[in-house]
Amino acid sequence: MMRRKFKHIVILTGAGISAESGIPTFRDKGGLWEKFRLEEVATPEAFQKNPDFVNEFYNLRRKELLKVRPNAAHYALAKLEREYPGKVLLVTQNVDDLHERAGSRKIIHMHGELLKVRCEKCGYVFKTHEEIFTTTPCPACRQKGGLRPHVVWFGEMPFQLEEIWENLQKCDLFLAIGTSGTVYPAAGFVEISRQAGAWCVELNLKPSAMADLFHEHHYGPATQVVPAFVEVLLESLVKDKN
Ligand code: BV8
């Protein structure tokens, strides 16, 4: 690993960082897209066509999320944000709240959040652990039929892209953790950082579709490779001091 004191770290996480907490990924064996067709549950057209089926898909995942806990990889990233003197921004494609529960603070949920619901009629966004149905009234405008998961479906614009792109162009270390590098625009983030001169590291179970664009790779389960990498980063600070 390039041993230097990085000033601005951007971390991108995907479903792989939550796998060992018991949340199924999308494209691995037994993943979500084996059981549900993406076109039937993760597009605006699917929701128009069959809102209750799509709500059921998210109600199920919301219920599952309440039973699982953050793992050592989530805690390691929270420790890095606490102890690293430089700027650390965590951009996650995940809609779970495991980074928050592990203590991370500076988080951008670019694909939204499973524990939030949005009313299409009045725009109100609110947190809930409950199931939602087309018959559930919006707590703000009281209208029915407008509630949807506050997540970004295929064909929809991810959240806070300007802020993400700004950070990618300024960072000097870019980490991609637990993502297959198959969903855009997230899959293209490494290219932006690399062009901006950042040192790019991939931490994953196996090489992602973008593996060749990274300078450094550590493969293995996130609960092993992420804490180990964070320790090396924090140790390099101590060495600098001596
Ligand atoms: C956009 C929703 C315009 C919430 C998600 C044709 C038509 C329409 C669009 C497109 C098109 N072609 C391309 C596109 C763009 C499209 C896209 O990329 N499609 C793909 C399928 C080709 N993207 C979009 O539509 C996006 N919007 O483009 O808007 C635009 C244009 C330009 C600039 C800006 C905007 C919106 C994409 C968001 C879709 N919503 N989720 C939900 O239900 O969760 S995507 C979904 O996939 C999740 O968010 C997930 O995070 C994401 C990526 O998947 P991964 O996280 O990488 O998970 P995956 O299972 O794939 O991989 C897991 C990895 O972990 C593997 O590598 C595995 O090895 C590893 N792993 C497993 N276990 C472990 C592990 N690693 C470590 N330890 C372990 N234990």
Side-chain angles (χ1 to χ4, degrees), residues 6-126:
F6 297 102
K7 296 190 178 55
H8 187 166
I9 305 174
V10 173
I11 305 163
L12 171 69
T13 60
I17 198 167
S18 299
E20 289 162 270
S21 293
I23 297 184
T25 64
F26 289 85
R27 294 166 185 84
D28 293 306
K29 201 161 167 17
L32 284 169
W33 297 151
E34 266 183 16
K35 302 185 183 77
F36 294 88
R37 280 168 39 77
L38 174 160
E39 296 72 19
E40 284 166 2
V41 290
T43 66
E45 297 73 22
F47 188 65
Q48 288 304 325
K49 202 161 138 227
N50 195 343
D52 280 319
F53 180 66
V54 172
N55 276 328
E56 190 44 31
F57 174 60
Y58 287 93
N59 288 341
L60 264 177
R61 288 170 66 194
R62 199 173 296 117
K63 229 184 283 180
E64 284 308 305
L65 179 52
L66 304 178
K67 295 180 202 156
V68 301
R69 305 160 50 77
N71 63 52
H74 296 104
Y75 285 110
L77 295 186
K79 180 179 179 190
L80 180 65
E81 179 186 343
R82 262 196 320 277
E83 298 183 9
Y84 205 78
K87 183 173 177 190
V88 178
L89 172 67
L90 175 55
V91 179
T92 186
Q93 300 171 88
N94 300 340
V95 294
D96 65 54
D97 65 337
L98 297 183
H99 284 306
E100 286 83 347
R101 282 199 256 158
S104 286
R105 290 283 164 272
K106 189 91 181 78
I107 305 172
I108 294 180
H109 276 278
M110 65 178 291
H111 291 162
E113 296 174 67
L114 190 52
L115 297 180
K116 284 186 181 171
V117 168
R118 181 167 83 235
C119 174
E120 293 281 70
K121 295 189 186 285
C122 73
Y124 183 56
V125 177
F126 60 99

Side-chain angles (χ1 to χ4, degrees), residues 145-202:
L147 297 187
R148 61 161 280 180
H150 186 56
V151 299
V152 177
W153 285 323
F154 287 96
E156 293 188 322
M157 191 63 84
F159 297 145
Q160 298 175 258
L161 281 178
E162 283 308 318
E163 185 180 350
I164 297 171
W165 281 326
E166 234 174 74
N167 278 274
L168 291 171
Q169 276 147 3
K170 287 190 197 137
C171 73
D172 53 5
L173 176 62
F174 175 73
L175 305 183
I177 303 174
T179 181
S180 60
T182 49
V183 173
Y184 289 83
F189 287 174
V190 56
E191 232 157 334
I192 301 173
S193 304
R194 191 179 168 112
Q195 301 229 333
W199 184 250
C200 301
V201 184
E202 174 167 86

